[in-house]
Amino acid sequence: MVKSMTGFGRASKETEDFKVTIELKAVNHRYLETVFRLPRQFHHLEASLKKVITQKVKRGRLECFFSFEGAKVAEKHLAVDWELLDHYVRFLRQAKERYAIQEEVDLEALLADPAFLTVSESSEADPELPALITSVLENAVARLDDMRAEEGTELALYFKEHLVKLERLLESVKEAIPETENAYREKLEDRLAKLVGADFDEKLVLSELALLLEKADINEEIERFASHLKQFYSILTQEGAIGRKLDFLIQEMNREVNTMGSKAMSLSITQCVVEMKTTLEKIREQVQNVE
């Protein structure tokens, strides 16, 4: 089954004390890479959350955004360095008397300085949250997977359409082989006629022709290419990550087509080879999106 590596999934769940929203964004990547945008007090959950993702996602770069609401999500603590603040205020008052400064000490401005006042969050989350986060993530991953499967269905149709075109082109190459053999024979006879006249040895022609046809024989390449086409269809029906298999198969198909092109002397075969290479490139571009 074909699945795209790109997609988006969002899920949200609300309880009496919390609301958790998770958004997942997946793009192409050679391997599976997960990036969690989690508050510090939830970092210890990353390993278990990754297991939830790997049940459905095998390849791609996945960014996971988490949003938390509720008074119990994290307790905030206010800390004031009173000793430092006392020293600072005494200094300001002494400076005021020494230099006859009329302005009063602005306590609000002092407390805005992080040297005197800091606000911190508790590093421990409410014990109810991990189970809620996992549940929401499972829903988000399921929606992401649905979108990836829908895009994968479109990709599969695209591949099959182009595979049919390759099959037609391969048939055209097969049909052109006898034409190529006749063209070789005519060229060889014309050359010999120019060199030795019309009275040349027919056995020599047949011998030379056999050597030329052996060098230009593309039947093996045709058979291998046809086999690769069957493999491609078969892989499209397999479960799991198939993108790398398809990418490797495209490389093999390109190799066979290039060999056909280098051996063939027929214009019609050359034209077919050019179209086959163009079609394979279109398939290869889309294979990069397959998980």
Side-chain angles (χ1 to χ4, degrees):
M1 180 180 179
V2 181
K3 285 186 181 180
S4 170
M5 278 192 282
T6 61
F8 178 82
R10 185 180 188 276
S12 182
K13 189 175 287 188
E14 192 170 357
T15 67
E16 189 174 328
D17 297 314
F18 310 104
K19 181 180 179 181
V20 176
T21 302
I22 299 177
E23 292 184 351
L24 306 176
K25 180 182 177 183
V27 295
N28 296 356
H29 198 272
R30 189 174 181 183
Y31 305 105
L32 175 60
E33 180 185 355
T34 51
V35 181
F36 293 100
R37 311 296 186 187
L38 271 168
R40 183 171 54 86
Q41 65 264 36
F42 298 112
H43 283 182
H44 66 286
L45 297 176
E46 288 190 5
S48 61
L49 295 178
K50 187 171 183 178
K51 289 181 180 179
V52 173
I53 291 170
T54 54
Q55 290 176 2
K56 296 280 188 181
V57 182
K58 307 304 178 186
R59 285 180 71 206
R61 187 178 192 275
L62 196 62
E63 287 190 273
C64 313
F65 301 91
F66 297 78
S67 173
F68 302 94
E69 297 177 31
K72 295 174 66 178
V73 172
E75 295 182 6
K76 294 186 177 181
H77 304 281
L78 185 68
V80 181
D81 190 336
W82 292 110
E83 185 176 352
L84 178 62
L85 189 58
D86 288 343
H87 286 306
Y88 199 81
V89 170
R90 280 198 299 270
F91 167 77
L92 288 177
R93 285 173 177 167
Q94 290 171 2
K96 181 181 176 183
E97 292 176 4
R98 179 184 291 265
Y99 300 108
I101 298 172
Q102 299 300 318
E103 295 179 8
E104 295 294 327
V105 175
D106 189 345
L107 185 60
E108 185 177 348
L110 289 176
L111 291 178
D113 190 330
F116 304 116
L117 182 145
T118 56
V119 179
S120 61
E121 291 186 352
S122 171
S123 60
E124 296 183 3
D126 189 284
E128 179 186 341
L129 269 172
L132 182 60
I133 293 170
T134 301
S135 175
V136 176
L137 181 62
E138 287 172 345
N139 292 338
V141 170
R143 291 173 185 175
L144 169 71
D145 196 55
D146 288 342
M147 184 175 180
R148 292 164 70 244
E150 287 178 13
E151 290 187 10
T153 300
E154 295 296 322
L155 286 171
L157 291 173
Y158 180 88
F159 293 144
K160 288 175 182 178
E161 176 186 337
H162 285 76
L163 290 173
V164 168
K165 183 177 181 179
L166 288 173
E167 288 172 335
R168 289 200 300 265
L169 289 168
L170 191 63
E171 283 302 315
S172 297
V173 170
K174 290 180 184 178
E175 292 170 3
I177 289 177
E179 174 193 333
T180 304
E181 293 177 355
N182 292 331
Y184 276 143
R185 185 184 184 99
E186 289 175 5
K187 286 182 180 179
L188 186 59
E189 288 178 348
D190 287 343
R191 187 176 299 174
L192 286 171
K194 289 177 182 179
L195 292 173
V196 299
D199 187 21
F200 53 79
D201 188 351
E202 182 69 20
K203 291 183 179 179
L204 178 61
V205 173
L206 295 175
S207 176
E208 290 296 324
L209 182 61
L211 290 174
L212 283 171
L213 292 178
E214 185 178 353
K215 290 179 181 179
D217 182 32
I218 57 172
N219 283 298
E220 283 188 21
E221 286 76 19
I222 289 173
E223 289 178 9
R224 284 196 292 265
F225 192 87
S227 175
H228 293 331
L229 285 172
K230 290 179 182 178
Q231 281 183 273
F232 205 112
Y233 279 114
S234 175
I235 292 172
L236 291 179
T237 65
Q238 294 178 7
E239 295 293 330
I242 62 173
R244 290 186 196 171
K245 292 180 183 179
L246 294 178
D247 191 46
F248 174 76
L249 199 54
I250 287 292
Q251 292 179 44
E252 294 300 304
M253 294 168 83
N254 262 312
R255 185 176 291 111
E256 302 303 337
V257 171
N258 286 333
T259 305
M260 289 183 209
S262 65
K263 286 184 175 182
M265 297 292 289
S266 164
L267 178 60
S268 56
I269 291 180
T270 301
Q271 290 173 337
C272 288
V273 164
V274 171
E275 283 195 59
M276 291 171 81
K277 291 176 73 172
T278 301
T279 305
L280 284 170
E281 179 58 24
K282 290 179 180 178
I283 296 175
R284 190 197 66 79
E285 288 176 359
Q286 294 303 319
V287 162
Q288 306 310 307
N289 298 321
V290 177
E291 181 183 60

